[in-house]
Amino acid sequence: MSEIAEVKINGQTYELPIITGSEDEKGIDITKLRSLSGAVTLDSGYKNTGSTKSAVTYLDGENGILRYRGYSIEELAGKASFIEVAYLLINGELPNKSQLADFEANITKHTLIHEDMKRFYEAYPSKAHPMGIVASLLCSLSTFYPDSQNPNRTEEEIELTIYRLLAKLPTISAWAYKNFVGHPVVYPKNNLNYEENFLNMMFSLPAEKYKIDPVVADALNKLLILHADHEQNCSASTVRIVGSSHANLYSSISAGVIALWGPLHGGANQAVIEMLEKIHADGTPLENWIAKAKDKDDPFRLMGFGHRVYKNFDPRAKIIKKAADDVLEKLGIEDPLIEIAKELEQVALNDEYFKARNLYPNVDFYSGIIYKALGIPTEMFTVMFALGRLPGWIAQWKEMIENKEPIGRPRQIYVGENERSYVSLEDR
Ligand code: SDX
């Protein structure tokens, strides 16, 4: 017998079904609420509202659990390759040897972008933020592959678009970096794996071939896996709602990149390093910065702290914090920012304000320190987040399409003027 929720409005009781998820989460299905009662629900920021039923990722914010298709990120980050995890998220199962080989081969053969796209880069200002370039070029890919715009595309056409996206985002991203630093672009090499190819396109120079350090490639692989999906976050919800209008996958992913750019979301990794550099340069005690973060009249927030879902440690932050120590030690880098970050974490975690609000370090708090150690500039940090998140966005979009979900169109509560008549200009 399914469980029922009862809602009483103006003395009338309405019964609504309760949905139970595979981890016993409960959701009240309000599909019929308006037709039954005339009322809608209101939940600014969707803090308590489920937008869909999904089988892609499971998050337990209270217990700091994150699993992709049932596998823990601790296991995947320690044992899998990013391409394996991309396959898992998109197809629902870990690939066997031949499936993984096919998946990798299909990605490798699509890593080039059309030569006409090089002209886009020439049109951007030299210091154009790479996120602006990446978002635009991803949407523009749909104009180079017009078949992708067909809302009745076949499974094969969707699969080809998925390969093209996974293959071309590293190239588009690395070339956005080259535009930012004023260096000539480096073409993809098919004899390198996903991480190595990206690093080579980022750091090779005509006069100096980039030597791929396995420590760097391994750290990048781990970081990409840890960013690969995170259920219905701001950018994934954006990808789903844009895709629900049957806009093509390139445009839906481009919309996700744009949502991720915000400093409250993926843009936080850039904001964290800028915050740590400011604190380092300023030299005032950390307590002063904590006081600023708590001051409602001060716009300063402790970037990389807090999370909509995690009310305990973000499990990704734990793994990245350890990886940051490992990478700095293996590369022999002394970065004062990591010490500041650790001290700041301790001061905040012992402060009543942060404890009362369950504010812990999130995925962005330590990731920038590793990106910096890998030689990636701050302006590219959120692009790195997008590179990791791409398979998750694709998996979320694909699930929404396969489940034939309706176009996303929330309701509202109108609080504006009641009806009034037009007043002529002379009488105003
Ligand atoms: C990501 O959703 C996801 O899954 C996102 C993500 C993913 O993988 O996709 O995990 C990636 O976006 C991580 C978050 C990166 N953002 C930041 O690090 C920016 C700093 N954090 C905050 O802006 C904030 O914590 C959010 C945006 C992350 C969450 O905001 P919520 O859930 O809307 O919570 P809130 O803003 O209502 O905060 C609750 C209280 C408020 O104080 P009170 O009104 O109760 O007095 O906590 C305070 C906030 O002022 N607060 C902070 C704070 N974060 C929340 N105070 C100081 N510093 C902070 N960082």
Side-chain angles (χ1 to χ4, degrees):
M1 212 293 251
S2 67
E3 293 175 86
I4 295 285
E6 291 185 345
V7 176
K8 202 167 189 175
I9 302 175
N10 299 333
Q12 174 86 22
T13 300
Y14 303 95
E15 293 194 342
L16 297 166
I18 288 180
I19 304 244
T20 303
S22 43
E23 292 288 342
D24 286 332
E25 293 165 301
K26 301 286 179 195
I28 301 171
D29 182 343
I30 57 170
T31 309
K32 296 198 166 33
L33 176 64
R34 192 168 187 280
S35 59
L36 286 172
S37 70
V40 296
T41 56
L42 189 61
D43 183 21
S44 176
Y46 310 111
K47 295 192 175 187
N48 306 284
T49 299
S51 58
T52 188
K53 289 184 279 188
S54 176
V56 178
T57 290
Y58 173 65
L59 265 194
D60 176 338
E62 281 67 31
N63 299 302
I65 293 171
L66 175 57
R67 298 188 199 125
Y68 300 154
R69 300 286 186 182
Y71 296 95
S72 76
I73 51 145
E74 289 79 6
E75 276 215 281
L76 293 172
K79 298 174 183 169
S81 72
F82 172 63
I83 289 300
E84 249 184 298
V85 170
Y87 183 100
L88 168 68
L89 284 166
I90 294 167
N91 297 296
E93 297 295 339
L94 283 168
N96 61 33
K97 277 204 180 100
S98 67
Q99 288 165 331
L100 182 58
D102 285 349
F103 193 62
E104 281 187 307
N106 277 303
I107 291 169
T108 301
K109 76 181 179 190
H110 289 289
T111 50
L112 264 183
I113 59 175
H114 195 293
E115 279 295 295
D116 284 354
M117 287 198 112
K118 273 179 81 175
R119 293 208 304 271
F120 286 56
Y121 290 88
E122 289 152 22
Y124 282 101
S126 59
K127 285 293 174 199
H129 194 295
M131 282 294 274
I133 296 179
V134 167
S136 313
L137 266 66
L138 278 173
C139 187
S140 302
L141 279 174
S142 61
T143 64
F144 286 80
Y145 305 105
D147 291 355
S148 67
Q149 297 167 24
N150 169 12
N152 306 312
R153 60 239 130 175
T154 64
E155 275 185 33
E156 290 70 29
E157 284 166 338
I158 291 178
E159 193 175 38
L160 178 55
T161 300
I162 291 172
Y163 289 139
R164 283 176 168 150
L165 272 165
L166 290 167
K168 297 178 193 303
L169 183 54
T171 309
I172 288 172
S173 303
W175 288 16
Y177 165 67
K178 289 298 196 187
N179 177 74
F180 188 76
V181 292
H183 292 173
V185 297
V186 173
Y187 283 80
K189 285 190 179 310
N190 290 356
N191 63 327
L192 298 175
N193 75 22
Y194 188 88
E195 294 78 26
E196 293 167 345
N197 183 40
F198 174 70
L199 289 167
N200 185 58
M201 289 191 288
M202 280 282 287
F203 299 122
S204 267
L205 291 165
E208 190 187 330
K209 192 174 171 321
Y210 175 70
K211 191 175 172 313
I212 293 163
D213 181 331
V215 170
V216 173
D218 178 58
L220 181 55
N221 178 67
K222 199 185 285 279
L223 281 167
L224 292 172
I225 290 173
L226 292 170
H227 286 82
D229 193 53
H230 215 237
E231 57 135 274
Q232 305 311 313
N233 56 81
C234 177
S235 52
S237 302
T238 302
V239 169
R240 284 182 87 118
I241 203 163
V242 168
S244 72
S245 72
H246 287 185
N248 65 75
L249 179 52
Y250 293 116
S251 313
S252 304
I253 297 297
S254 169
V257 170
I258 292 164
L260 186 75
W261 197 356
L264 294 186
H265 190 13
N269 57 17
Q270 173 175 342
V272 167
I273 287 296
E274 289 166 350
M275 172 186 77
L276 294 174
E277 282 169 345
K278 201 170 167 186
I279 292 173
H280 181 50
D282 180 78
T284 51
L286 293 181
E287 285 70 15
N288 292 19
W289 293 96
I290 295 290
K292 277 172 69 67
K294 291 156 48 174
D295 178 356
K296 295 297 173 213
D297 298 327
D298 190 323
F300 177 78
R301 282 286 170 273
L302 204 52
M303 300 314 278
F305 251 77
H307 198 277
R308 172 61 55 77
V309 176
Y310 289 122
K311 300 308 169 194
N312 197 317
F313 249 89
D314 180 332
R316 300 167 297 178
K318 273 188 197 168
I319 299 170
I320 292 175
K321 179 180 175 181
K322 167 121 183 19
D325 279 332
D326 294 349
V327 167
L328 291 179
E329 190 195 341
K330 284 176 185 166
L331 296 179
I333 295 172
E334 296 278 318
D335 185 347
L337 300 188
I338 192 162
E339 295 318 318
I340 294 176
K342 287 180 178 174
E343 277 174 57
L344 204 51
E345 176 189 333
Q346 283 317 308
V347 175
L349 294 185
N350 290 297
D351 181 284
E352 211 29 61
Y353 171 96
F354 285 82
K355 286 199 288 191
R357 292 165 178 80
N358 297 311
L359 301 178
Y360 290 87
N362 59 47
V363 65
D364 295 308
F365 192 62
Y366 286 102
S367 56
I369 288 169
I370 300 186
Y371 290 140
K372 197 163 158 274
L374 303 186
I376 293 166
T378 311
E379 291 76 9
M380 280 291 289
F381 286 5
T382 312
V383 173
M384 300 307 295
F385 196 139
L387 266 179
R389 186 53 54 88
L390 177 60
W393 285 330
I394 291 170
Q396 297 286 344
W397 184 91
K398 190 162 168 276
E399 181 178 68
M400 178 271 303
I401 292 290
E402 285 170 353
N403 293 348
K404 295 184 172 41
E405 293 188 13
I407 185 169
R409 201 269 183 227
R411 302 305 296 255
Q412 64 165 20
I413 297 293
Y414 176 70
V415 292
E417 296 286 345
N418 298 114
E419 186 174 10
R420 51 184 174 165
S421 302
Y422 180 80
V423 176
S424 67
L425 190 55
E426 296 71 35
D427 298 335
R428 277 182 227 155

